[in-house]
Every structure is written in C-alpha cells, then in structure tokens.
Amino acid sequence: QVQLVESGGGLVQPGGSLRLSCAASGSILSIYGMGWYRQAPGKQRELVATITSGGSTNYADSGKGRFTISRDNAKNTVYLRMNSLKPEDTAVYYCNVDQVRFKAGDGGFRTEYYYWGQGTQVTVSS
C-alpha cells in the first residue's frame, strides 16, 4: 500500500548529469528519512545520501560535492541530482524510506521501516 516509484536513471557519459526522483505513494501520514542507496555488481549496497523531514542531509564521501539530495514533503518525493558523474557511479540506485506511517487498506494505521524501491539503473560510460 506504499509504493516508491523511481525515475531518472539511464545511460550518461562521464562528466554528465542525471536527476533521480522517487515518489512515495499511498495513504501516507508521514515519512521521516528518505534517501538513496546504490549497489554495483559484486558489491554491497551502500549509502549515497539521506535527508530527514526537517531537511538534515547526510552524504557518503563518494558523492560529496557532486550529488545533492532534496525532498518535497508535500509530494512525498525525494530527488538526487548527480553531477560530474564517473564510471564508478555505475550501479543500481535504490530509493529508501526509513520510516513511513500510513493508513492501511483495513483502515488501520501502520508504520514500516526501511522500505525500498525497485531500483533504477544508472550507467556512466563512454
């Protein structure tokens, strides 16, 4: 009943830019943290950036100075602007919500933790 819909991934040349979007849909009451993680083949999933409902951000060293995370609380949407992309940025990027409070189909209220999107492929290559 909560779905994370991602968009914006694709193929880009080194030095290029992409903007990822992730919209949480459903009867959502509140979301605390939203963020982006990525996973390259043969590697563990790793943090890219997170942002709280109050606007506090956290970036992995890999993206500092190049990536910018933002969110629109009214739209339950988080964005990741990625500039100066490098081949090592190639990965599947996953949207994440760390805590979401929502109204379930039976009318009750639920809280779920670490809710993941389906992932979107970002490929940086010439």
Side-chain angles (χ1 to χ4, degrees):
Q1 292 178 309
V2 175
Q3 184 178 10
L4 303 181
V5 181
E6 299 158 310
S7 63
L11 175 65
V12 65
Q13 294 185 343
S17 299
L18 286 173
R19 189 190 190 214
L20 306 182
S21 299
C22 174
S25 62
S27 299
I28 297 171
L29 279 68
S30 64
I31 297 173
Y32 183 63
M34 303 184 77
W36 293 92
Y37 293 71
R38 68 186 185 186
Q39 187 169 21
K43 297 183 178 180
Q44 296 186 60
R45 188 173 300 185
E46 64 179 16
L47 169 74
V48 178
T50 61
I51 183 168
T52 69
S53 59
S56 297
T57 59
N58 181 44
Y59 294 92
D61 289 342
S62 59
K64 287 182 178 178
R66 300 187 297 124
F67 296 177
T68 302
I69 190 169
S70 61
R71 67 188 282 177
D72 185 333
N73 291 334
K75 297 180 179 179
N76 292 316
T77 300
V78 63
Y79 308 93
L80 183 70
R81 188 183 70 191
M82 302 186 291
N83 296 328
S84 302
L85 284 163
K86 306 173 182 178
E88 51 262 45
D89 294 318
T90 296
V92 177
Y93 284 69
Y94 295 91
C95 179
N96 172 262
V97 170
D98 68 356
Q99 180 178 302
V100 55
R101 181 76 168 167
F102 65 98
K103 186 177 181 180
D106 61 3
F109 296 93
R110 296 175 60 188
T111 301
E112 293 189 352
Y113 303 91
Y114 296 100
Y115 204 94
W116 296 94
Q118 78 290 150
T120 184
Q121 178 70 46
V122 171
T123 302
V124 185
S125 177
S126 298

